Amino acid sequence: MKVLAIDSSGLTATVAVVEDDQTTAEYTTNYKKTHSQTLLPMIDEMVKMVDMDLASIDAIAVAGGPGSFTGLRIGSATAKGLGLALGKPLVHVPTVDAMAYSMYGCEDLICPIMDARRKQVYTGIYSFSHKKCGEDALYDEPVFQVLRMQMAVPVEELIRHLNVYRRRVVFLGDGVPVYREMLAAGLKVPYYFAPSFMNRQRAAAVGALGIRYYEAGRFETAAEFRPEYLRRSQAERERAEREKNAVPQVRPMTMEDAAAVAEMEHQLFPDAWSEKSVIETLEQPNSICLIVTKAERTAGYLLAYQAADEAEIARIAVLKEFQRQGAAQALLAELEASCRAGEVHRILLDVRSGNTAARALYEKAGFREDGIRQNFYENPTEDAILMSRELPAVPTVLCSDVSI
């Protein structure tokens, strides 16, 4: 079997052509150039050097993460593009698995560490055991063991894990120079560092391990392949922080919001409303329809009906990523303001008996239990808790279901 192997998960860019019993070619650079500049030219130069037609490969083995977000995306796009063009399957090889595999036969604990910033590392814990190759065999075959699957953890936590094993450890990866002092201060077991020719990513190791995974049936089409990041990118973390700290803003719902509300319905409720149902509610003159946003993203919505001096909430929901951030309270506060303006004096609602979060929210807002409707809800069958709140010179609201 012949595979093209690609690893661009860190500063090192490395490609190789690997067969069952040999590495035909390998091209590795560890220099400050972007992989978008180097990866395809490296592959082109390598296959020219060995007079190889890429169509002759059986699969493409690619380091699928964790690692640099940009590097993984470039490697993934390169592998997917080649896989689609050549009609070849892709083999997802975890980055730190391949790094550990490059220490083939080592019986010590093998701990690759890639710097994930903020005193965190991408890592895993590995070793090789040995098994007899027959009664008369003169050698034992090393067996690759994954003791702890790849993970993103603080360095202090990794040190605690390693101290528990009470075995000698060999470290490799770009996290070594960054966290060498922390390792020295915290480790209570013997350790050492892999030499320069073994301490970074090697495409040949990705290819060799990729062949084993392929033979075990662990491959996929180019279209199916996705890199594994283990954690969100810096940009995604910053956006989440902005959204968390943003003040919820409530505005009237418009017809343009109907599709987004219907999509949230399908995410949050088993008996989801269709876009048509949302539009029909918006068109009713006695409806109160609100949208809440955080950092310019739609976070939730409220659909209610007003009748005489009461108001009934048909739906109130907040997306899970925005729950417990004030969005539901903002919707209820705006509803109350609308009710006061419309001379509503009492707010009624019903909520699933098992929806403890929503019940706690309503109790905090001044609602009190009035009774129970047995088996009111379906899918699953559940009682409805009736709650109400009197407003000084204002109305009432009924909630048929909530997800807050």
Side-chain angles (χ1 to χ4, degrees):
M1 180 176 186
K2 183 190 296 183
V3 301
L4 170 67
I6 299 172
D7 190 336
S8 59
S9 57
L11 277 177
T12 300
T14 175
V15 296
V17 176
V18 180
E19 299 184 53
D20 292 306
D21 57 355
Q22 67 175 342
T23 298
T24 305
E26 185 175 27
Y27 191 161
T28 300
T29 62
N30 186 11
Y31 191 68
K32 295 179 181 179
K33 284 189 177 181
T34 63
H35 298 322
S36 59
Q37 294 175 293
T38 59
L39 207 57
L40 280 172
M42 287 169 60
I43 294 172
D44 185 54
E45 183 68 24
M46 179 181 64
V47 297
K48 283 180 180 177
M49 185 65 69
V50 294
D51 297 322
M52 191 186 82
D53 183 352
L54 276 177
S56 67
I57 64 173
D58 299 297
I60 300 171
V62 56
S68 156
F69 289 89
T70 301
L72 288 173
R73 287 173 180 138
I74 293 169
S76 173
T78 301
K80 285 168 72 75
L82 290 171
L84 290 168
L86 298 169
K88 305 296 182 180
L90 266 60
V91 183
H92 179 130
V93 179
T95 304
V96 290
D97 286 23
M99 293 175 70
Y101 197 71
S102 69
M103 305 291 294
Y104 188 82
C106 179
E107 295 184 13
D108 295 326
L109 292 182
I110 305 168
C111 187
I113 53 174
M114 300 174 66
D115 184 16
R117 310 276 178 89
R118 300 185 178 185
K119 294 185 178 180
Q120 288 193 331
V121 289
Y122 299 122
T123 187
I125 302 175
Y126 307 84
S127 188
F128 284 87
S129 63
H130 292 258
K131 69 176 182 179
K132 291 282 185 184
C133 295
E135 287 288 333
D136 300 324
L138 298 178
Y139 68 94
D140 294 339
E141 181 184 353
V143 178
F144 188 50
Q145 293 184 309
V146 180
L147 303 179
R148 274 189 173 269
M149 294 179 63
Q150 60 179 19
M151 53 190 170
V153 295
V155 179
E156 295 91 339
E157 183 176 335
L158 174 62
I159 290 170
R160 287 196 296 271
H161 288 320
L162 293 171
N163 283 335
V164 168
Y165 281 97
R166 300 181 181 275
R167 290 174 58 184
R168 188 168 64 171
V169 187
V170 55
F171 292 98
L172 66 154
D174 60 26
V176 168
V178 180
Y179 299 111
R180 185 188 291 258
E181 292 182 4
M182 290 184 67
L183 295 172
L187 285 169
K188 295 180 174 60
V189 295
Y191 66 92
Y192 61 104
F193 302 107
S196 60
F197 62 92
M198 301 175 72
N199 67 8
R200 292 294 188 272
Q201 290 89 332
R202 288 281 306 274
V206 173
L209 194 54
I211 289 174
R212 290 200 169 197
Y213 288 170
Y214 182 92
E215 291 172 344
R218 294 170 58 178
F219 58 87
E220 55 199 330
T221 66
E224 293 171 330
F225 177 82
R226 297 288 185 278
E228 185 175 6
Y229 297 115
L230 289 190
R231 71 176 196 180
R232 293 178 297 176
S233 68
Q234 178 70 19
E236 291 169 325
R237 292 196 299 272
E238 290 175 354
R239 186 182 73 176
E241 191 64 25
R242 288 196 302 270
E243 290 172 350
K244 181 179 178 180
N245 296 327
V247 177
Q249 303 292 325
V250 181
R251 60 171 175 81
M253 189 183 298
T254 67
M255 292 295 179
E256 288 73 23
D257 296 314
V261 171
E263 175 60 29
M264 287 188 280
E265 277 281 314
H266 283 284
Q267 292 182 39
L268 296 167
F269 295 111
D271 56 340
W273 286 21
S274 65
E275 183 178 351
K276 180 182 177 182
S277 298
V278 176
I279 291 173
E280 288 174 348
T281 301
L282 277 164
E283 290 175 338
Q284 294 190 32
N286 65 331
S287 65
I288 303 172
C289 304
L290 306 171
I291 286 286
V292 62
T293 62
K294 289 199 73 178
E296 301 182 354
R297 288 186 64 199
T298 300
Y301 57 94
L302 181 149
L303 302 170
Y305 301 99
Q306 182 177 341
D309 63 347
E310 293 185 351
E312 174 184 358
I313 299 178
R315 223 53 154 186
I316 176 171
V318 173
L319 289 174
K320 290 182 180 179
E321 61 188 289
F322 293 107
Q323 291 177 9
R324 294 183 175 83
Q325 297 179 30
Q329 292 91 330
L331 284 167
L332 290 173
E334 184 61 28
L335 173 65
E336 181 176 328
S338 296
C339 287
R340 289 178 184 278
E343 298 184 354
V344 176
H345 302 292
R346 190 177 172 216
I347 300 177
L348 306 172
L349 63 90
D350 58 70
V351 59
R352 285 180 179 269
S353 58
N355 194 341
T356 55
R359 291 172 63 181
L361 170 70
Y362 287 129
E363 288 173 1
K364 187 176 180 181
F367 289 83
R368 296 293 178 263
E369 292 187 15
D370 292 330
I372 297 176
R373 289 178 182 166
Q374 292 186 345
N375 301 325
F376 179 76
Y377 290 107
E378 297 179 351
N379 195 21
T381 301
E382 198 168 359
D383 295 340
I385 304 298
L386 307 180
M387 305 183 77
S388 67
R389 178 189 172 204
E390 298 290 337
L391 296 179
V394 193
T396 305
V397 183
L398 271 148
C399 298
S400 69
D401 202 355
V402 301
S403 179
I404 297 174

